[in-house]
Amino acid sequence: MQELTPQRTAAEQGRSKREFDKLQKRLRRLVGNAITDYGMIHDGDRVMVCLSGGKDSYTMLEILRNLQRNAPVEFELVAVNMDQKQPGFPEHVLPEYLDAAGIEYYIIERDTYSIVKEKVPEGKTYCGLCSRLRRGTLYGFAEEIGATKIALGHHRDDMLETLFLNMFFGGTLKSMPPKLLSNDNRNIVIRPLAYCSEQDIADFAEAMAFPIIPCNLCGSQENLQRQVVKEMLGEWDRKHPGRIETMFKAITNVAPSQLADRELFDFEGLEAQREALNRGRIDAVDLTDPDAS
């Protein structure tokens, strides 16, 4: 391999810096657009950023901090991690990172790991029960600390994967909304990374050298349905560049009358709608027709 000269090294460093700046600006723009489009954050909000230690939540926190400095509204950020007592979980990593960054944070300790291992039969996936237990704890804690919004790190690819998972295995046409009111009607959940691709997030996390903590519970299970769907979408993207963007646009551009949900669209009332429209219609008269009255 040819040895790099100092000049070439500096040039490559400059190019890398420009690429990182473009990536960071793109993420900032996409997160800012999502926040604006869905009214995610308002003046005076206290946003609880759920920090798992993965690339997505680290990136979400960092981009929100960047936007916070120049946002037209004032809002607070508080990071919250849930220590689920998984064996080998490095408890020191997140506190050290957050202390160094000067970020307000809380660590919630709940042994949901033992519950999941006990309740889920051998060979079944842990994700469903694990996420429900985690979600319930985080929702309750948000109220304790006065958080007005709960920010989750799901991105565009997560939303598309969920769409296909629900279609293939759940018989429903639904995904992860960018903003929702929780089932308890007490918490508003936001997903600021809704417009961001997983690849951009991975590249940003690598460039930032975040201290990633892998999930050794569900992440180690093979043949997860989500992983199968992820591979399917990845193959589509490789063979048909731009398809992922088109599919995501589709979930923001829904035509209820062109689907078949009777709760979402009044198919039964179409006849009455036609009659009402026809009653108000004025037929054009051909004035050149001698028989026209």
Side-chain angles (χ1 to χ4, degrees), residues 35-47:
I35 290 173
T36 300
D37 289 350
Y38 293 95
M40 293 186 184
I41 298 176
H42 298 96
D43 193 46
D45 269 340
R46 179 169 168 83
V47 182

Side-chain angles (χ1 to χ4, degrees), residues 117-131:
K117 294 290 287 184
E118 176 186 348
K119 299 294 184 182
V120 178
E122 190 70 27
K124 299 294 184 179
T125 58
Y126 304 136
C127 297
L129 178 59
C130 180
S131 62

Side-chain angles (χ1 to χ4, degrees), residues 225-239:
Q225 292 172 341
R226 181 173 291 274
Q227 185 60 36
V228 173
V229 171
K230 181 187 289 288
E231 291 171 0
M232 178 193 75
L233 294 178
E235 183 178 359
W236 285 358
D237 192 38
R238 288 189 296 273
K239 291 183 177 180

